[in-house]
Amino acid sequence: MYDPTVARLTYRALLGRRRALILGALPLLLIAISLAVRALSGADDQTAADVLGGFALATMVPIIGVIAGTGAIGPEIDDGSVVYLLSKPIKRPTIIYTKLIVAVAVTMVFSAVPTLIAGFVLNGNGQQVAVAYTVAALVASIAYAALFLLLGTVSRHAVVFGLVYALVWEALFGSLVPGARTLSVQQWSLAVAQKVSGGDLVTSDVSLTTATVLLASVTVLATWYAGQKLRSLTLAGEE
């Protein structure tokens, strides 16, 4: 279910000069903010949780997920170069699984690693805040990559829809409408982080059991449906 050639092409597409600059901008901003906050206010557990929860998990992780998830396949469908892959003797679900693995890996590296660094800068991992939010970023990376890979497969406006979900639904409605939080990858990942931290600094509106089931279900269903949609794409010679 993994093809090295597809993976190499996907990595090359995602880590090209322009996209790599975009992927690296938010992590650098997070670390810069963390350095400034630490210099101004010192080590404070609550401040660390606020920065990591309000910027890293709520903004940086989903945006990087949008870039990596949609960028793993969307541009190839838009410019027609996906025909090259579809013409090869590679099962189409294998293409999706491979691209998902690459998208997850890229999202994790550009979101979880800087989250961990920022957490240690802010408070030296006091009350396990840095580790808890890093685990949340890792878990969220999987779900976001699957969701946005699916969007890249079904829509030419995947980036727009992805940003609407990440910034409007999760960041805006998720903070204002209690019921919306149940359908939020951010809240699901926070439930895992709450278990890791074991304290009151990290909280979620979703129970750990519910969060685990929803994270797994969304990831599996999004990946499966993306594979089905790719199956439905036909080459001119196949018709």
Side-chain angles (χ1 to χ4, degrees):
M1 303 305 290
Y2 179 86
D3 187 272
T5 301
V6 175
R8 185 176 67 255
L9 293 172
T10 307
Y11 275 119
R12 186 180 301 172
L14 286 179
L15 300 178
R17 181 177 300 176
R18 185 177 65 179
R19 190 169 274 115
L21 288 174
I22 297 173
L23 285 169
L26 285 174
L28 289 175
L29 179 59
L30 171 64
I31 294 174
I33 291 173
S34 300
L35 289 168
V37 170
R38 178 62 185 266
L40 293 172
S41 62
D44 181 77
D45 295 342
Q46 184 61 60
T47 300
D50 291 341
V51 172
L52 295 180
F55 183 78
L57 194 62
T59 302
M60 183 185 73
V61 179
I63 290 180
I64 290 176
V66 170
I67 296 171
T70 61
I73 196 170
E76 292 177 315
I77 293 177
D78 291 343
D79 63 20
S81 60
V82 71
V83 171
Y84 168 79
L85 287 178
L86 299 182
S87 65
K88 301 298 179 181
I90 305 173
K91 293 181 179 180
R92 296 182 185 183
T94 298
I95 295 174
I96 290 295
Y97 296 144
T98 302
K99 287 183 173 294
L100 175 62
I101 291 171
V102 173
V104 168
V106 170
T107 306
M108 285 182 171
V109 168
F110 282 91
S111 61
V113 173
T115 297
L116 182 63
I117 295 172
F120 274 95
V121 168
L122 286 164
N123 76 331
N125 194 38
Q127 296 194 50
Q128 294 289 309
V129 169
V131 171
Y133 277 102
T134 298
V135 171
L138 290 170
V139 171
S141 294
I142 300 172
Y144 281 132
L147 275 174
F148 299 136
L149 179 66
L150 171 61
L151 277 178
T153 306
V154 302
S155 173
R156 291 182 178 273
H157 307 289
V159 174
V160 175
F161 291 137
L163 290 175
V164 167
Y165 172 80
L167 300 180
V168 177
W169 178 263
E170 292 212 340
L172 182 59
F173 284 95
S175 62
L176 299 176
V177 184
R181 297 170 191 166
T182 307
L183 301 177
S184 167
V185 174
Q186 177 187 343
Q187 289 296 322
W188 305 341
S189 61
L190 278 174
V192 180
Q194 183 178 14
K195 178 66 176 180
V196 173
S197 69
D200 298 328
L201 287 176
V202 184
T203 60
S204 173
D205 292 335
V206 182
S207 69
L208 180 61
T209 301
T210 301
T212 302
V213 171
L214 289 173
L215 282 167
S217 299
V218 166
T219 302
V220 171
L221 290 175
T223 304
W224 172 80
Y225 192 60
Q228 296 303 306
K229 292 301 292 184
L230 197 62
R231 283 178 184 271
S232 69
L233 292 178
T234 57
L235 304 178
E238 292 178 342
E239 298 179 350

mmCIF file of all heavy atoms in Angstrom, residues 4 15 20 27 49-50 65 79 130 157 177:
data_model
loop_
_atom_site.group_PDB
_atom_site.id
_atom_site.type_symbol
_atom_site.label_atom_id
_atom_site.label_comp_id
_atom_site.label_asym_id
_atom_site.label_seq_id
_atom_site.Cartn_x
_atom_site.Cartn_y
_atom_site.Cartn_z
ATOM 1 N N PRO A 4 7.159 3.870 -3.399
ATOM 2 C CA PRO A 4 8.261 4.829 -3.227
ATOM 3 C C PRO A 4 8.302 5.913 -4.299
ATOM 4 O O PRO A 4 8.657 7.064 -4.004
ATOM 5 C CB PRO A 4 9.516 3.946 -3.294
ATOM 6 C CG PRO A 4 9.039 2.571 -2.948
ATOM 7 C CD PRO A 4 7.644 2.489 -3.491
ATOM 8 N N LEU A 15 7.617 19.923 -0.949
ATOM 9 C CA LEU A 15 8.776 20.597 -0.388
ATOM 10 C C LEU A 15 9.546 21.408 -1.430
ATOM 11 O O LEU A 15 10.744 21.659 -1.272
ATOM 12 C CB LEU A 15 9.706 19.571 0.280
ATOM 13 C CG LEU A 15 9.064 18.773 1.419
ATOM 14 C CD1 LEU A 15 10.039 17.753 1.976
ATOM 15 C CD2 LEU A 15 8.565 19.704 2.521
ATOM 16 N N ALA A 20 7.708 25.151 0.543
ATOM 17 C CA ALA A 20 8.503 24.960 1.758
ATOM 18 C C ALA A 20 8.608 26.261 2.549
ATOM 19 O O ALA A 20 8.574 26.250 3.791
ATOM 20 C CB ALA A 20 9.887 24.439 1.405
ATOM 21 N N PRO A 27 5.734 27.923 11.652
ATOM 22 C CA PRO A 27 6.574 27.409 12.745
ATOM 23 C C PRO A 27 7.610 28.426 13.226
ATOM 24 O O PRO A 27 7.839 28.558 14.436
ATOM 25 C CB PRO A 27 7.257 26.184 12.107
ATOM 26 C CG PRO A 27 6.287 25.732 11.070
ATOM 27 C CD PRO A 27 5.694 26.981 10.517
ATOM 28 N N ALA A 49 0.376 27.312 27.894
ATOM 29 C CA ALA A 49 -0.815 26.623 27.391
ATOM 30 C C ALA A 49 -1.629 27.521 26.476
ATOM 31 O O ALA A 49 -2.157 27.061 25.454
ATOM 32 C CB ALA A 49 -1.674 26.152 28.571
ATOM 33 N N ASP A 50 -1.709 28.797 26.810
ATOM 34 C CA ASP A 50 -2.466 29.738 25.981
ATOM 35 C C ASP A 50 -1.827 29.910 24.603
ATOM 36 O O ASP A 50 -2.526 29.927 23.583
ATOM 37 C CB ASP A 50 -2.552 31.099 26.672
ATOM 38 C CG ASP A 50 -3.425 31.074 27.919
ATOM 39 O OD1 ASP A 50 -4.228 30.126 28.045
ATOM 40 O OD2 ASP A 50 -3.294 31.975 28.750
ATOM 41 N N GLY A 65 -1.805 21.574 7.776
ATOM 42 C CA GLY A 65 -2.542 20.420 7.270
ATOM 43 C C GLY A 65 -3.215 20.708 5.945
ATOM 44 O O GLY A 65 -3.242 19.860 5.046
ATOM 45 N N ASP A 79 -3.819 20.369 -12.822
ATOM 46 C CA ASP A 79 -3.056 20.561 -14.071
ATOM 47 C C ASP A 79 -3.034 19.329 -14.967
ATOM 48 O O ASP A 79 -2.422 19.339 -16.030
ATOM 49 C CB ASP A 79 -1.623 21.024 -13.767
ATOM 50 C CG ASP A 79 -0.815 19.990 -12.979
ATOM 51 O OD1 ASP A 79 -1.179 18.802 -12.974
ATOM 52 O OD2 ASP A 79 0.198 20.397 -12.363
ATOM 53 N N ALA A 130 4.232 21.120 27.091
ATOM 54 C CA ALA A 130 4.876 20.996 25.779
ATOM 55 C C ALA A 130 4.603 19.630 25.161
ATOM 56 O O ALA A 130 4.236 19.521 23.983
ATOM 57 C CB ALA A 130 6.380 21.237 25.908
ATOM 58 N N HIS A 157 -11.315 23.667 -5.417
ATOM 59 C CA HIS A 157 -11.196 24.779 -4.466
ATOM 60 C C HIS A 157 -10.886 24.245 -3.072
ATOM 61 O O HIS A 157 -11.363 24.780 -2.079
ATOM 62 C CB HIS A 157 -12.484 25.594 -4.452
ATOM 63 C CG HIS A 157 -12.919 26.053 -5.811
ATOM 64 N ND1 HIS A 157 -12.252 27.033 -6.519
ATOM 65 C CD2 HIS A 157 -13.947 25.642 -6.616
ATOM 66 C CE1 HIS A 157 -12.839 27.231 -7.681
ATOM 67 N NE2 HIS A 157 -13.873 26.398 -7.762
ATOM 68 N N VAL A 177 -19.713 28.612 19.564
ATOM 69 C CA VAL A 177 -20.858 27.694 19.601
ATOM 70 C C VAL A 177 -20.430 26.378 20.233
ATOM 71 O O VAL A 177 -19.644 25.629 19.638
ATOM 72 C CB VAL A 177 -21.406 27.442 18.180
ATOM 73 C CG1 VAL A 177 -22.648 26.556 18.259
ATOM 74 C CG2 VAL A 177 -21.716 28.758 17.486
#
